[in-house]
Amino acid sequence: MNAAVTQRVRPIRAAEYPAEVALLDAAYGAGPYAAELAGDPEWERSVSDVAGRDADGQVIVVEEAGRLLGAASVLRPESSHAKLASDGEAELRLVAVAPEAQGRGIGESLVRAGLEVALGWGRSAMRLDTGVRNPAQRLYARLGFEHTVDLDARLAGTGYGDSLTFRYALQDRSDVRVRLIRDEEIPAVSDLVLAAYRDDYSHLAADYLADIADVAARAATHLVWVAEDTATGDLLGTVTTPRYREQLTTVSVPGEMDIRLLGVSQAARGRGIGALLMQHTLRLARIRGASRLVLETSQMMEAAWRLYERLEFARLRERDRTITLASGDDLRLMTYGFALTA
């Protein structure tokens, strides 16, 4: 069995706080900066305050067979443990892998999961720093982090030592933020997406419209994203993606990510919200390391499939299928895909 399949990346549990401290001590104690960190009061404060880090953001862990093999902290800028993040950003700190588990891709899983946490918050970027002797810098570069050389220079001589700083952009625009839905927004998003489909496609069957409107059920089992106007707070559009390692439809195969129910409010038409949400799903797929983003649409939804073609999605005709709705009507579904670089 593939070891990666048996590993779970998840939020830490309060009962695991002491184990996370022991993991950090072991990982960094075996690392290239063990001598510098030993006895450092600020370092010891951050490591020991697991509850504070968890409250200020989210501590994530990799667990296998009941053992913690890795941990990382995703922090908001107001946290006393954050060092680099500014307003609207997030920071990844204390990425650690148990010495006996190194070389198994656990660090990469933690970084990818941390990026997804910050993306769900609607953060504009993820910040992190590492020492020049830390080989993790190669991982950050490979995953698409930008080395912020100007920030390195500004921090020189300020107690950061030989730190290298990195940034990963999570939003494409400053006027619109894409984030996970909040519980109190479910009725509004249900109205938004139902109107988007009902008004544009007058021949949709009642059972399909009911599925479109059931945002509460999708949010309970999948990830429902919203595009929010940063000035007014208005919700402009929505799209649904699966949780990590799950699927929404049978159109995708293992290693791919699929999406459903892209919808834009009538009031936001012409602002590029549909394209923005599609770029967001591509970013999430890249963060997860998916090989392809796939989706289904129908011939009647011309505005949608023309958008996908403008974004250079390719037709996957061999995956087209016909489904029978509860009404007895048949609906032909067209498949599109966007191949992603590993």
Side-chain angles (χ1 to χ4, degrees), residues 297-324:
T297 187
S298 70
Q299 188 67 34
M300 74 176 73
M301 298 178 178
E302 182 174 355
W305 55 259
R306 289 200 182 278
L307 168 64
Y308 307 142
E309 291 180 355
R310 286 199 304 274
L311 295 175
E312 300 185 343
F313 277 70
R315 282 282 282 116
L316 303 177
R317 299 180 187 277
E318 69 281 4
R319 301 196 198 184
D320 289 356
R321 63 191 180 112
T322 300
I323 61 172
T324 301

Side-chain angles (χ1 to χ4, degrees), residues 15-188:
E16 296 169 327
Y17 288 173
E20 195 256 7
V21 173
L23 172 64
L24 294 182
D25 285 340
Y28 283 91
Y33 290 92
E36 289 91 334
L37 296 174
D40 184 311
E42 180 57 27
W43 168 259
E44 292 179 353
R45 180 187 73 87
S46 287
V47 169
S48 63
D49 187 19
V50 192
R53 287 186 275 118
D54 208 20
D56 289 345
Q58 188 173 106
V59 177
I60 52 178
V61 297
V62 172
E63 175 257 331
E64 182 180 67
R67 292 181 58 243
L68 297 190
L69 301 182
S73 297
V74 188
L75 302 170
R76 295 181 173 88
E78 58 268 25
S79 170
S80 67
H81 301 288
K83 303 192 297 182
L84 304 175
S86 59
D87 188 41
E89 298 179 334
E91 185 167 340
L92 189 66
R93 285 207 64 206
L94 299 175
V95 180
V97 178
E100 68 276 12
Q102 292 182 6
R104 296 176 56 187
I106 292 172
E108 179 173 339
S109 295
L110 288 164
V111 176
R112 290 186 186 277
L115 285 168
E116 186 164 340
V117 169
L119 192 67
W121 294 347
R123 297 285 132 162
S124 60
M126 176 76 91
R127 299 272 188 180
L128 61 82
D129 73 294
T130 190
V132 296
R133 285 176 277 151
N134 192 335
Q137 61 186 278
R138 295 193 291 272
L139 168 64
Y140 305 139
R142 179 166 58 81
L143 293 182
F145 280 80
E146 171 198 5
H147 179 198
T148 47
V149 180
D150 57 334
L151 184 56
D152 292 354
R154 292 202 304 272
L155 292 175
T158 63
Y160 281 73
D162 56 359
S163 286
L164 303 175
T165 60
F166 294 84
R167 181 181 185 272
Y168 192 107
L170 295 171
Q171 301 285 332
D172 292 310
R173 289 166 50 173
S174 60
D175 62 322
V176 181
R177 174 189 303 114
V178 183
R179 57 167 172 79
L180 286 174
I181 194 172
R182 297 167 184 151
D183 289 346
E184 64 270 20
E185 295 169 335
I186 287 175

Side-chain angles (χ1 to χ4, degrees), residues 190-206 208-210 212-213 262-264 266 269 300-301:
S190 178
D191 291 343
L192 182 159
V193 70
L194 178 61
Y197 279 79
R198 184 188 57 216
D199 296 348
D200 285 355
Y201 313 113
S202 58
H203 300 297
L204 294 179
Y208 187 48
L209 289 173
I212 290 170
L262 172 71
V264 178
Q266 294 291 345
R269 300 293 170 89
M300 74 176 73
M301 298 178 178

Side-chain angles (χ1 to χ4, degrees), residues 248-291:
L248 294 172
T249 68
T250 59
V251 70
S252 62
V253 300
E256 296 179 339
M257 189 182 97
D258 55 353
I259 65 172
R260 286 193 69 206
L261 298 173
L262 172 71
V264 178
S265 74
Q266 294 291 345
R269 300 293 170 89
R271 292 184 58 181
I273 302 303
L276 179 69
L277 285 165
M278 289 304 300
Q279 294 294 348
H280 170 82
T281 62
L282 286 168
R283 175 177 283 114
L284 176 60
R286 289 189 179 98
I287 286 172
R288 291 180 175 180
S291 61

